[in-house]
Amino acid sequence: VCGWHEKIGFEEMTGHCFLTENRLVQETRFSSGHAVVVNFGLEVWDDDRGFQVRAKDFRTFAMKED
């Protein structure tokens, strides 16, 4: 996680949303284009973009520019 914080530590948060109705899976985006999906739930989250986030885990990625 330290490496992740080094990448986004001074970036502006540009978006945050809940990906599940129970709010256990959340996505946050930053001005650099980096993003993170966090799964606070007890089950694997299958994202429509083709990746999974294990229970109590997170997945970081860079958003592609359109």
Side-chain angles (χ1 to χ4, degrees):
V1 176
C2 289
W4 170 248
H5 283 117
E6 288 176 4
K7 290 180 182 179
I8 57 96
F10 295 102
E11 298 295 326
E12 177 183 358
M13 182 173 37
T14 58
H16 180 269
C17 62
F18 299 105
L19 300 179
T20 58
E21 191 172 310
N22 63 9
R23 299 182 174 202
L24 292 176
V25 181
Q26 304 175 18
E27 180 174 326
T28 305
R29 296 180 183 193
F30 298 90
S31 59
S32 63
H34 288 93
V36 60
V37 173
V38 180
N39 181 0
F40 294 103
L42 299 176
E43 297 180 12
V44 173
W45 164 256
D46 291 313
D47 194 278
D48 292 339
R49 293 168 282 194
F51 61 85
Q52 291 185 329
V53 184
R54 295 179 300 189
K56 304 291 184 178
D57 204 358
F58 64 95
R59 167 89 185 248
T60 63
F61 54 97
M63 303 295 295
K64 294 181 180 178
E65 293 186 22
D66 293 333

Short mmCIF file of all heavy atoms in Angstrom, two decimals:
data_model
loop_
_atom_site.label_atom_id
_atom_site.label_comp_id
_atom_site.label_asym_id
_atom_site.label_seq_id
_atom_site.Cartn_x
_atom_site.Cartn_y
_atom_site.Cartn_z
N VAL A 1 0.82 -1.19 0.00
CA VAL A 1 0.00 0.00 0.00
C VAL A 1 0.87 1.26 0.00
O VAL A 1 0.49 2.27 -0.56
CB VAL A 1 -0.97 0.00 1.20
CG1 VAL A 1 -1.76 1.28 1.27
CG2 VAL A 1 -1.90 -1.19 1.12
N CYS A 2 2.07 1.18 0.59
CA CYS A 2 2.94 2.36 0.64
C CYS A 2 3.26 2.88 -0.76
O CYS A 2 3.25 4.08 -0.99
CB CYS A 2 4.21 2.06 1.40
SG CYS A 2 3.95 1.86 3.17
N GLY A 3 3.54 1.98 -1.68
CA GLY A 3 3.81 2.39 -3.06
C GLY A 3 2.62 3.07 -3.70
O GLY A 3 2.76 4.03 -4.46
N TRP A 4 1.43 2.57 -3.39
CA TRP A 4 0.20 3.18 -3.90
C TRP A 4 0.06 4.59 -3.36
O TRP A 4 -0.26 5.53 -4.10
CB TRP A 4 -0.99 2.32 -3.52
CG TRP A 4 -2.32 2.96 -3.78
CD1 TRP A 4 -3.22 3.36 -2.86
CD2 TRP A 4 -2.89 3.28 -5.05
NE1 TRP A 4 -4.32 3.91 -3.47
CE2 TRP A 4 -4.14 3.87 -4.81
CE3 TRP A 4 -2.47 3.13 -6.37
CZ2 TRP A 4 -4.97 4.30 -5.83
CZ3 TRP A 4 -3.30 3.57 -7.38
CH2 TRP A 4 -4.54 4.14 -7.12
N HIS A 5 0.29 4.79 -2.08
CA HIS A 5 0.18 6.12 -1.49
C HIS A 5 1.22 7.08 -2.06
O HIS A 5 0.95 8.28 -2.19
CB HIS A 5 0.28 6.06 0.03
CG HIS A 5 -0.98 5.58 0.67
ND1 HIS A 5 -1.04 4.42 1.40
CD2 HIS A 5 -2.23 6.08 0.67
CE1 HIS A 5 -2.28 4.24 1.82
NE2 HIS A 5 -3.02 5.22 1.39
N GLU A 6 2.38 6.57 -2.41
CA GLU A 6 3.39 7.43 -3.04
C GLU A 6 2.89 7.94 -4.39
O GLU A 6 3.20 9.06 -4.78
CB GLU A 6 4.69 6.65 -3.23
CG GLU A 6 5.43 6.40 -1.93
CD GLU A 6 6.67 5.55 -2.12
OE1 GLU A 6 7.01 5.21 -3.27
OE2 GLU A 6 7.29 5.21 -1.10
N LYS A 7 2.11 7.14 -5.11
CA LYS A 7 1.59 7.55 -6.42
C LYS A 7 0.48 8.59 -6.30
O LYS A 7 0.37 9.47 -7.14
CB LYS A 7 1.05 6.33 -7.18
CG LYS A 7 2.11 5.39 -7.64
CD LYS A 7 1.49 4.23 -8.38
CE LYS A 7 2.54 3.24 -8.80
NZ LYS A 7 1.97 2.08 -9.49
N ILE A 8 -0.38 8.44 -5.30
CA ILE A 8 -1.59 9.29 -5.25
C ILE A 8 -1.61 10.24 -4.07
O ILE A 8 -2.57 11.00 -3.91
CB ILE A 8 -2.87 8.43 -5.25
CG1 ILE A 8 -2.93 7.43 -4.09
CG2 ILE A 8 -3.02 7.68 -6.56
CD1 ILE A 8 -3.68 7.92 -2.92
N GLY A 9 -0.59 10.24 -3.25
CA GLY A 9 -0.58 11.00 -2.00
C GLY A 9 -0.91 12.47 -2.13
O GLY A 9 -1.56 13.04 -1.26
N PHE A 10 -0.48 13.11 -3.22
CA PHE A 10 -0.73 14.54 -3.39
C PHE A 10 -1.71 14.82 -4.53
O PHE A 10 -1.87 15.95 -4.95
CB PHE A 10 0.58 15.28 -3.62
CG PHE A 10 1.49 15.22 -2.42
CD1 PHE A 10 2.56 14.36 -2.38
CD2 PHE A 10 1.24 16.03 -1.32
CE1 PHE A 10 3.39 14.29 -1.27
CE2 PHE A 10 2.05 15.98 -0.20
CZ PHE A 10 3.13 15.11 -0.17
N GLU A 11 -2.36 13.77 -5.02
CA GLU A 11 -3.32 13.92 -6.11
C GLU A 11 -4.69 14.34 -5.57
O GLU A 11 -5.07 13.98 -4.46
CB GLU A 11 -3.46 12.61 -6.88
CG GLU A 11 -2.19 12.15 -7.55
CD GLU A 11 -1.73 13.09 -8.65
OE1 GLU A 11 -2.59 13.68 -9.33
OE2 GLU A 11 -0.51 13.22 -8.82
N GLU A 12 -5.44 15.05 -6.39
CA GLU A 12 -6.80 15.42 -6.04
C GLU A 12 -7.73 14.24 -6.30
O GLU A 12 -7.63 13.56 -7.33
CB GLU A 12 -7.26 16.60 -6.91
CG GLU A 12 -8.67 17.02 -6.66
CD GLU A 12 -9.12 18.14 -7.58
OE1 GLU A 12 -8.31 18.63 -8.38
OE2 GLU A 12 -10.30 18.52 -7.48
N MET A 13 -8.62 13.95 -5.36
CA MET A 13 -9.63 12.93 -5.58
C MET A 13 -10.69 13.53 -6.50
O MET A 13 -11.27 14.58 -6.20
CB MET A 13 -10.27 12.49 -4.27
CG MET A 13 -11.29 11.39 -4.49
SD MET A 13 -12.01 10.60 -3.03
CE MET A 13 -12.20 11.90 -1.87
N THR A 14 -10.90 12.90 -7.64
CA THR A 14 -11.82 13.45 -8.63
C THR A 14 -13.15 12.70 -8.68
O THR A 14 -14.08 13.15 -9.34
CB THR A 14 -11.19 13.44 -10.03
OG1 THR A 14 -10.83 12.10 -10.36
CG2 THR A 14 -9.97 14.34 -10.07
N GLY A 15 -13.22 11.56 -8.01
CA GLY A 15 -14.48 10.83 -8.02
C GLY A 15 -14.49 9.72 -6.98
O GLY A 15 -13.45 9.16 -6.63
N HIS A 16 -15.67 9.47 -6.48
CA HIS A 16 -15.88 8.36 -5.55
C HIS A 16 -17.30 7.85 -5.76
O HIS A 16 -18.24 8.65 -5.90
CB HIS A 16 -15.70 8.81 -4.10
CG HIS A 16 -15.90 7.68 -3.13
ND1 HIS A 16 -17.13 7.41 -2.59
CD2 HIS A 16 -15.04 6.76 -2.65
CE1 HIS A 16 -17.01 6.36 -1.79
NE2 HIS A 16 -15.75 5.96 -1.80
N CYS A 17 -17.45 6.53 -5.82
CA CYS A 17 -18.79 5.98 -5.97
C CYS A 17 -18.87 4.62 -5.31
O CYS A 17 -17.86 3.95 -5.09
CB CYS A 17 -19.20 5.88 -7.44
SG CYS A 17 -18.16 4.80 -8.42
N PHE A 18 -20.09 4.22 -5.00
CA PHE A 18 -20.36 2.90 -4.46
C PHE A 18 -20.75 2.01 -5.62
O PHE A 18 -21.61 2.37 -6.43
CB PHE A 18 -21.50 2.97 -3.43
CG PHE A 18 -21.17 3.85 -2.26
CD1 PHE A 18 -21.73 5.11 -2.14
CD2 PHE A 18 -20.27 3.42 -1.29
CE1 PHE A 18 -21.42 5.93 -1.06
CE2 PHE A 18 -19.96 4.23 -0.21
CZ PHE A 18 -20.54 5.49 -0.09
N LEU A 19 -20.13 0.86 -5.73
CA LEU A 19 -20.40 -0.05 -6.84
C LEU A 19 -21.45 -1.10 -6.48
O LEU A 19 -21.91 -1.81 -7.37
CB LEU A 19 -19.10 -0.73 -7.29
CG LEU A 19 -18.01 0.22 -7.79
CD1 LEU A 19 -16.77 -0.56 -8.18
CD2 LEU A 19 -18.50 1.07 -8.95
N THR A 20 -21.78 -1.21 -5.21
CA THR A 20 -22.83 -2.12 -4.78
C THR A 20 -23.85 -1.36 -3.94
O THR A 20 -23.52 -0.36 -3.32
CB THR A 20 -22.26 -3.29 -3.94
OG1 THR A 20 -21.58 -2.76 -2.81
CG2 THR A 20 -21.32 -4.15 -4.76
N GLU A 21 -25.06 -1.87 -3.94
CA GLU A 21 -26.13 -1.21 -3.19
C GLU A 21 -25.84 -1.16 -1.69
O GLU A 21 -26.18 -0.20 -1.01
CB GLU A 21 -27.46 -1.95 -3.45
CG GLU A 21 -28.66 -1.22 -2.94
CD GLU A 21 -29.95 -1.88 -3.38
OE1 GLU A 21 -30.10 -2.16 -4.58
OE2 GLU A 21 -30.81 -2.10 -2.50
N ASN A 22 -25.16 -2.18 -1.18
CA ASN A 22 -24.84 -2.21 0.25
C ASN A 22 -23.59 -1.40 0.60
O ASN A 22 -23.16 -1.36 1.75
CB ASN A 22 -24.68 -3.64 0.75
CG ASN A 22 -23.54 -4.39 0.09
OD1 ASN A 22 -22.73 -3.82 -0.63
ND2 ASN A 22 -23.50 -5.69 0.32
N ARG A 23 -22.99 -0.77 -0.41
CA ARG A 23 -21.85 0.14 -0.27
C ARG A 23 -20.55 -0.54 0.18
O ARG A 23 -19.62 0.11 0.60
CB ARG A 23 -22.17 1.30 0.67
CG ARG A 23 -23.32 2.14 0.18
CD ARG A 23 -23.59 3.29 1.10
NE ARG A 23 -24.61 4.15 0.49
CZ ARG A 23 -24.78 5.40 0.80
NH1 ARG A 23 -24.03 5.98 1.71
NH2 ARG A 23 -25.71 6.11 0.22
N LEU A 24 -20.49 -1.86 0.08
CA LEU A 24 -19.29 -2.58 0.51
C LEU A 24 -18.18 -2.58 -0.54
O LEU A 24 -17.04 -2.87 -0.23
CB LEU A 24 -19.64 -4.01 0.91
CG LEU A 24 -20.49 -4.13 2.18
CD1 LEU A 24 -20.86 -5.59 2.43
CD2 LEU A 24 -19.76 -3.54 3.37
N VAL A 25 -18.53 -2.27 -1.79
CA VAL A 25 -17.52 -2.15 -2.85
C VAL A 25 -17.55 -0.71 -3.34
O VAL A 25 -18.60 -0.20 -3.72
CB VAL A 25 -17.77 -3.14 -4.00
CG1 VAL A 25 -16.69 -3.00 -5.06
CG2 VAL A 25 -17.84 -4.58 -3.48
N GLN A 26 -16.39 -0.07 -3.28
CA GLN A 26 -16.30 1.36 -3.60
C GLN A 26 -15.15 1.62 -4.57
O GLN A 26 -14.15 0.92 -4.55
CB GLN A 26 -16.05 2.16 -2.32
CG GLN A 26 -17.09 1.92 -1.26
CD GLN A 26 -16.79 2.63 0.04
OE1 GLN A 26 -16.00 3.56 0.09
NE2 GLN A 26 -17.43 2.19 1.11
N GLU A 27 -15.31 2.65 -5.38
CA GLU A 27 -14.26 3.06 -6.32
C GLU A 27 -13.92 4.53 -6.07
O GLU A 27 -14.81 5.36 -5.88
CB GLU A 27 -14.71 2.89 -7.76
CG GLU A 27 -13.65 3.30 -8.75
CD GLU A 27 -14.03 3.00 -10.18
OE1 GLU A 27 -14.72 1.98 -10.43
OE2 GLU A 27 -13.67 3.79 -11.06
N THR A 28 -12.63 4.82 -6.07
CA THR A 28 -12.15 6.19 -5.94
C THR A 28 -11.19 6.47 -7.09
O THR A 28 -10.33 5.65 -7.40
CB THR A 28 -11.43 6.39 -4.59
OG1 THR A 28 -12.32 6.00 -3.54
CG2 THR A 28 -11.03 7.84 -4.39
N ARG A 29 -11.33 7.65 -7.70
CA ARG A 29 -10.48 8.07 -8.82
C ARG A 29 -9.71 9.33 -8.43
O ARG A 29 -10.21 10.16 -7.66
CB ARG A 29 -11.32 8.33 -10.05
CG ARG A 29 -12.01 7.10 -10.56
CD ARG A 29 -12.82 7.39 -11.78
NE ARG A 29 -13.53 6.19 -12.20
CZ ARG A 29 -14.12 6.07 -13.36
NH1 ARG A 29 -14.12 7.08 -14.21
NH2 ARG A 29 -14.73 4.95 -13.68
N PHE A 30 -8.51 9.47 -9.02
CA PHE A 30 -7.64 10.60 -8.70
C PHE A 30 -7.24 11.34 -9.97
O PHE A 30 -7.31 10.78 -11.07
CB PHE A 30 -6.40 10.10 -7.95
CG PHE A 30 -6.75 9.44 -6.64
CD1 PHE A 30 -7.00 8.09 -6.57
CD2 PHE A 30 -6.86 10.20 -5.49
CE1 PHE A 30 -7.35 7.48 -5.37
CE2 PHE A 30 -7.20 9.61 -4.28
CZ PHE A 30 -7.44 8.25 -4.22
N SER A 31 -6.80 12.58 -9.81
CA SER A 31 -6.50 13.45 -10.95
C SER A 31 -5.39 12.91 -11.85
O SER A 31 -5.33 13.24 -13.03
CB SER A 31 -6.13 14.85 -10.46
OG SER A 31 -5.02 14.80 -9.59
N SER A 32 -4.53 12.06 -11.35
CA SER A 32 -3.45 11.48 -12.13
C SER A 32 -3.94 10.39 -13.08
O SER A 32 -3.19 9.92 -13.93
CB SER A 32 -2.39 10.88 -11.20
OG SER A 32 -2.96 9.83 -10.44
N GLY A 33 -5.19 9.97 -12.91
CA GLY A 33 -5.73 8.87 -13.70
C GLY A 33 -5.70 7.55 -12.95
O GLY A 33 -6.24 6.56 -13.43
N HIS A 34 -5.09 7.52 -11.79
CA HIS A 34 -5.08 6.31 -10.98
C HIS A 34 -6.44 6.13 -10.31
O HIS A 34 -7.15 7.10 -10.04
CB HIS A 34 -3.99 6.37 -9.90
CG HIS A 34 -2.63 6.23 -10.47
ND1 HIS A 34 -1.86 7.31 -10.82
CD2 HIS A 34 -1.90 5.13 -10.75
CE1 HIS A 34 -0.70 6.89 -11.30
NE2 HIS A 34 -0.71 5.56 -11.26
N ALA A 35 -6.79 4.86 -10.05
CA ALA A 35 -8.05 4.55 -9.39
C ALA A 35 -7.87 3.31 -8.53
O ALA A 35 -6.92 2.55 -8.71
CB ALA A 35 -9.15 4.32 -10.43
N VAL A 36 -8.80 3.14 -7.60
CA VAL A 36 -8.77 1.96 -6.73
C VAL A 36 -10.20 1.50 -6.50
O VAL A 36 -11.11 2.32 -6.36
CB VAL A 36 -8.06 2.26 -5.38
CG1 VAL A 36 -8.76 3.35 -4.60
CG2 VAL A 36 -7.91 1.00 -4.55
N VAL A 37 -10.39 0.19 -6.53
CA VAL A 37 -11.65 -0.42 -6.14
C VAL A 37 -11.37 -1.20 -4.86
O VAL A 37 -10.44 -2.01 -4.82
CB VAL A 37 -12.21 -1.36 -7.23
CG1 VAL A 37 -13.43 -2.11 -6.72
CG2 VAL A 37 -12.56 -0.58 -8.48
N VAL A 38 -12.15 -0.92 -3.81
CA VAL A 38 -11.97 -1.56 -2.52
C VAL A 38 -13.20 -2.40 -2.22
O VAL A 38 -14.32 -1.94 -2.37
CB VAL A 38 -11.76 -0.52 -1.40
CG1 VAL A 38 -11.56 -1.20 -0.05
CG2 VAL A 38 -10.58 0.38 -1.72
N ASN A 39 -12.96 -3.64 -1.80
CA ASN A 39 -14.04 -4.55 -1.46
C ASN A 39 -14.00 -4.80 0.05
O ASN A 39 -13.15 -5.52 0.55
CB ASN A 39 -13.87 -5.87 -2.22
CG ASN A 39 -14.97 -6.86 -1.92
OD1 ASN A 39 -15.88 -6.59 -1.14
ND2 ASN A 39 -14.90 -8.02 -2.55
N PHE A 40 -14.92 -4.19 0.78
CA PHE A 40 -15.03 -4.38 2.21
C PHE A 40 -15.90 -5.60 2.56
O PHE A 40 -16.06 -5.93 3.73
CB PHE A 40 -15.64 -3.14 2.88
CG PHE A 40 -14.76 -1.93 2.77
CD1 PHE A 40 -15.04 -0.93 1.85
CD2 PHE A 40 -13.65 -1.77 3.59
CE1 PHE A 40 -14.24 0.20 1.75
CE2 PHE A 40 -12.84 -0.65 3.50
CZ PHE A 40 -13.14 0.34 2.58
N GLY A 41 -16.45 -6.23 1.54
CA GLY A 41 -17.37 -7.35 1.75
C GLY A 41 -16.65 -8.66 2.04
O GLY A 41 -15.42 -8.74 2.08
N LEU A 42 -17.45 -9.71 2.20
CA LEU A 42 -16.94 -11.04 2.53
C LEU A 42 -16.91 -11.98 1.33
O LEU A 42 -16.58 -13.15 1.47
CB LEU A 42 -17.79 -11.66 3.65
CG LEU A 42 -17.79 -10.89 4.98
CD1 LEU A 42 -18.75 -11.54 5.97
CD2 LEU A 42 -16.39 -10.81 5.55
N GLU A 43 -17.29 -11.47 0.15
CA GLU A 43 -17.31 -12.27 -1.06
C GLU A 43 -16.52 -11.58 -2.16
O GLU A 43 -16.36 -10.36 -2.16
CB GLU A 43 -18.75 -12.50 -1.53
CG GLU A 43 -19.58 -13.27 -0.53
CD GLU A 43 -21.01 -13.49 -1.01
OE1 GLU A 43 -21.29 -13.25 -2.20
OE2 GLU A 43 -21.84 -13.90 -0.19
N VAL A 44 -16.06 -12.36 -3.13
CA VAL A 44 -15.34 -11.82 -4.28
C VAL A 44 -16.27 -10.91 -5.08
O VAL A 44 -17.46 -11.21 -5.25
CB VAL A 44 -14.84 -12.97 -5.18
CG1 VAL A 44 -14.25 -12.43 -6.47
CG2 VAL A 44 -13.83 -13.82 -4.44
N TRP A 45 -15.73 -9.79 -5.55
CA TRP A 45 -16.48 -8.86 -6.41
C TRP A 45 -16.02 -9.06 -7.84
O TRP A 45 -14.84 -8.97 -8.15
CB TRP A 45 -16.24 -7.43 -5.98
CG TRP A 45 -16.65 -6.40 -7.00
CD1 TRP A 45 -15.82 -5.69 -7.82
CD2 TRP A 45 -17.97 -5.97 -7.31
NE1 TRP A 45 -16.54 -4.84 -8.61
CE2 TRP A 45 -17.89 -5.00 -8.31
CE3 TRP A 45 -19.22 -6.32 -6.83
CZ2 TRP A 45 -19.01 -4.38 -8.85
CZ3 TRP A 45 -20.34 -5.70 -7.37
CH2 TRP A 45 -20.22 -4.74 -8.36
N ASP A 46 -16.96 -9.37 -8.75
CA ASP A 46 -16.68 -9.49 -10.18
C ASP A 46 -17.05 -8.18 -10.84
O ASP A 46 -18.23 -7.84 -10.93
CB ASP A 46 -17.49 -10.63 -10.80
CG ASP A 46 -17.01 -11.99 -10.33
OD1 ASP A 46 -15.80 -12.23 -10.33
OD2 ASP A 46 -17.87 -12.81 -9.94
N ASP A 47 -16.05 -7.44 -11.28
CA ASP A 47 -16.30 -6.15 -11.91
C ASP A 47 -16.64 -6.34 -13.38
O ASP A 47 -16.08 -7.22 -14.05
CB ASP A 47 -15.05 -5.26 -11.77
CG ASP A 47 -15.36 -3.82 -12.08
OD1 ASP A 47 -15.38 -3.48 -13.29
OD2 ASP A 47 -15.56 -3.04 -11.15
N ASP A 48 -17.53 -5.51 -13.90
CA ASP A 48 -17.93 -5.59 -15.31
C ASP A 48 -16.76 -5.31 -16.25
O ASP A 48 -16.83 -5.64 -17.43
CB ASP A 48 -19.05 -4.59 -15.60
CG ASP A 48 -20.35 -4.98 -14.92
OD1 ASP A 48 -20.52 -6.16 -14.56
OD2 ASP A 48 -21.21 -4.08 -14.75
N ARG A 49 -15.70 -4.69 -15.76
CA ARG A 49 -14.55 -4.36 -16.60
C ARG A 49 -13.58 -5.52 -16.76
O ARG A 49 -12.55 -5.40 -17.41
CB ARG A 49 -13.83 -3.14 -16.04
CG ARG A 49 -14.68 -1.88 -16.13
CD ARG A 49 -14.11 -0.76 -15.33
NE ARG A 49 -14.42 -0.97 -13.92
CZ ARG A 49 -14.28 -0.05 -12.98
NH1 ARG A 49 -13.82 1.14 -13.30
NH2 ARG A 49 -14.60 -0.32 -11.73
N GLY A 50 -13.91 -6.67 -16.16
CA GLY A 50 -13.13 -7.87 -16.41
C GLY A 50 -12.12 -8.24 -15.34
O GLY A 50 -11.21 -9.01 -15.62
N PHE A 51 -12.25 -7.70 -14.15
CA PHE A 51 -11.35 -8.11 -13.07
C PHE A 51 -12.15 -8.42 -11.82
O PHE A 51 -13.33 -8.11 -11.72
CB PHE A 51 -10.29 -7.05 -12.79
CG PHE A 51 -10.81 -5.71 -12.35
CD1 PHE A 51 -11.10 -5.45 -11.02
CD2 PHE A 51 -11.01 -4.68 -13.27
CE1 PHE A 51 -11.58 -4.22 -10.61
CE2 PHE A 51 -11.48 -3.44 -12.87
CZ PHE A 51 -11.77 -3.21 -11.54
N GLN A 52 -11.49 -9.09 -10.89
CA GLN A 52 -12.10 -9.43 -9.61
C GLN A 52 -11.36 -8.74 -8.48
O GLN A 52 -10.17 -8.46 -8.59
CB GLN A 52 -12.04 -10.93 -9.35
CG GLN A 52 -12.91 -11.76 -10.25
CD GLN A 52 -12.86 -13.22 -9.84
OE1 GLN A 52 -11.87 -13.72 -9.34
NE2 GLN A 52 -13.97 -13.92 -10.08
N VAL A 53 -12.08 -8.50 -7.39
CA VAL A 53 -11.47 -8.00 -6.17
C VAL A 53 -11.87 -8.97 -5.06
O VAL A 53 -13.07 -9.16 -4.81
CB VAL A 53 -11.92 -6.57 -5.82
CG1 VAL A 53 -11.18 -6.07 -4.58
CG2 VAL A 53 -11.70 -5.63 -6.99
N ARG A 54 -10.89 -9.60 -4.47
CA ARG A 54 -11.18 -10.56 -3.41
C ARG A 54 -11.81 -9.86 -2.20
O ARG A 54 -11.70 -8.65 -2.05
CB ARG A 54 -9.90 -11.27 -2.96
CG ARG A 54 -9.30 -12.13 -4.05
CD ARG A 54 -8.03 -12.79 -3.58
NE ARG A 54 -7.07 -11.74 -3.22
CZ ARG A 54 -5.81 -11.96 -2.93
NH1 ARG A 54 -5.33 -13.18 -2.93
NH2 ARG A 54 -5.02 -10.97 -2.61
N ALA A 55 -12.44 -10.65 -1.34
CA ALA A 55 -13.04 -10.11 -0.12
C ALA A 55 -11.97 -9.45 0.72
O ALA A 55 -10.84 -9.92 0.81
CB ALA A 55 -13.70 -11.24 0.67
N LYS A 56 -12.33 -8.30 1.30
CA LYS A 56 -11.42 -7.54 2.19
C LYS A 56 -10.11 -7.18 1.49
O LYS A 56 -9.04 -7.19 2.08
CB LYS A 56 -11.13 -8.34 3.46
CG LYS A 56 -12.35 -8.74 4.24
CD LYS A 56 -13.02 -7.55 4.85
CE LYS A 56 -14.19 -8.01 5.72
NZ LYS A 56 -14.85 -6.93 6.37
N ASP A 57 -10.18 -6.85 0.20
CA ASP A 57 -8.99 -6.54 -0.58
C ASP A 57 -9.27 -5.35 -1.49
O ASP A 57 -10.36 -4.78 -1.46
CB ASP A 57 -8.60 -7.76 -1.42
CG ASP A 57 -7.14 -7.80 -1.80
OD1 ASP A 57 -6.39 -6.86 -1.46
OD2 ASP A 57 -6.72 -8.78 -2.45
N PHE A 58 -8.29 -4.97 -2.29
CA PHE A 58 -8.45 -3.84 -3.19
C PHE A 58 -7.70 -4.12 -4.48
O PHE A 58 -6.83 -4.98 -4.54
CB PHE A 58 -7.93 -2.55 -2.55
CG PHE A 58 -6.45 -2.54 -2.26
CD1 PHE A 58 -5.56 -2.01 -3.16
CD2 PHE A 58 -5.97 -3.10 -1.09
CE1 PHE A 58 -4.19 -2.02 -2.90
CE2 PHE A 58 -4.61 -3.11 -0.81
CZ PHE A 58 -3.72 -2.56 -1.72
N ARG A 59 -8.04 -3.34 -5.50
CA ARG A 59 -7.38 -3.46 -6.82
C ARG A 59 -7.12 -2.05 -7.31
O ARG A 59 -8.03 -1.22 -7.38
CB ARG A 59 -8.30 -4.21 -7.77
CG ARG A 59 -7.93 -4.16 -9.23
CD ARG A 59 -7.00 -5.29 -9.60
NE ARG A 59 -6.56 -5.17 -10.97
CZ ARG A 59 -6.92 -6.01 -11.93
NH1 ARG A 59 -7.70 -7.01 -11.68
NH2 ARG A 59 -6.45 -5.83 -13.14
N THR A 60 -5.85 -1.75 -7.64
CA THR A 60 -5.51 -0.44 -8.18
C THR A 60 -5.30 -0.55 -9.68
O THR A 60 -4.94 -1.61 -10.20
CB THR A 60 -4.23 0.11 -7.52
OG1 THR A 60 -3.14 -0.75 -7.82
CG2 THR A 60 -4.39 0.24 -6.02
N PHE A 61 -5.51 0.54 -10.38
CA PHE A 61 -5.32 0.56 -11.83
C PHE A 61 -5.26 2.00 -12.30
O PHE A 61 -5.56 2.93 -11.55
CB PHE A 61 -6.41 -0.21 -12.57
CG PHE A 61 -7.81 0.20 -12.24
CD1 PHE A 61 -8.48 1.08 -13.07
CD2 PHE A 61 -8.46 -0.31 -11.14
CE1 PHE A 61 -9.79 1.46 -12.77
CE2 PHE A 61 -9.77 0.07 -10.84
CZ PHE A 61 -10.41 0.94 -11.66
N ALA A 62 -4.84 2.18 -13.53
CA ALA A 62 -4.80 3.51 -14.15
C ALA A 62 -5.93 3.59 -15.17
O ALA A 62 -6.12 2.68 -15.97
CB ALA A 62 -3.47 3.76 -14.82
N MET A 63 -6.67 4.68 -15.10
CA MET A 63 -7.77 4.89 -16.04
C MET A 63 -7.19 5.30 -17.38
O MET A 63 -6.26 6.10 -17.44
CB MET A 63 -8.71 5.98 -15.52
CG MET A 63 -9.28 5.71 -14.15
SD MET A 63 -10.37 4.29 -14.08
CE MET A 63 -11.68 4.83 -15.13
N LYS A 64 -7.74 4.78 -18.45
CA LYS A 64 -7.31 5.16 -19.80
C LYS A 64 -8.03 6.43 -20.21
O LYS A 64 -9.22 6.60 -19.94
CB LYS A 64 -7.62 4.05 -20.79
CG LYS A 64 -6.82 2.81 -20.55
CD LYS A 64 -7.16 1.76 -21.59
CE LYS A 64 -6.36 0.50 -21.35
NZ LYS A 64 -6.70 -0.55 -22.30
N GLU A 65 -7.31 7.31 -20.87
CA GLU A 65 -7.94 8.53 -21.38
C GLU A 65 -8.69 8.21 -22.64
O GLU A 65 -8.28 7.40 -23.46
CB GLU A 65 -6.87 9.59 -21.67
CG GLU A 65 -6.19 10.10 -20.41
CD GLU A 65 -5.26 11.25 -20.73
OE1 GLU A 65 -5.43 11.90 -21.77
OE2 GLU A 65 -4.36 11.47 -19.93
N ASP A 66 -9.87 8.85 -22.82
CA ASP A 66 -10.69 8.62 -24.02
C ASP A 66 -10.19 9.43 -25.17
O ASP A 66 -9.62 10.45 -25.06
CB ASP A 66 -12.15 8.97 -23.73
CG ASP A 66 -12.76 8.01 -22.72
OD1 ASP A 66 -12.31 6.85 -22.63
OD2 ASP A 66 -13.70 8.43 -22.00
#
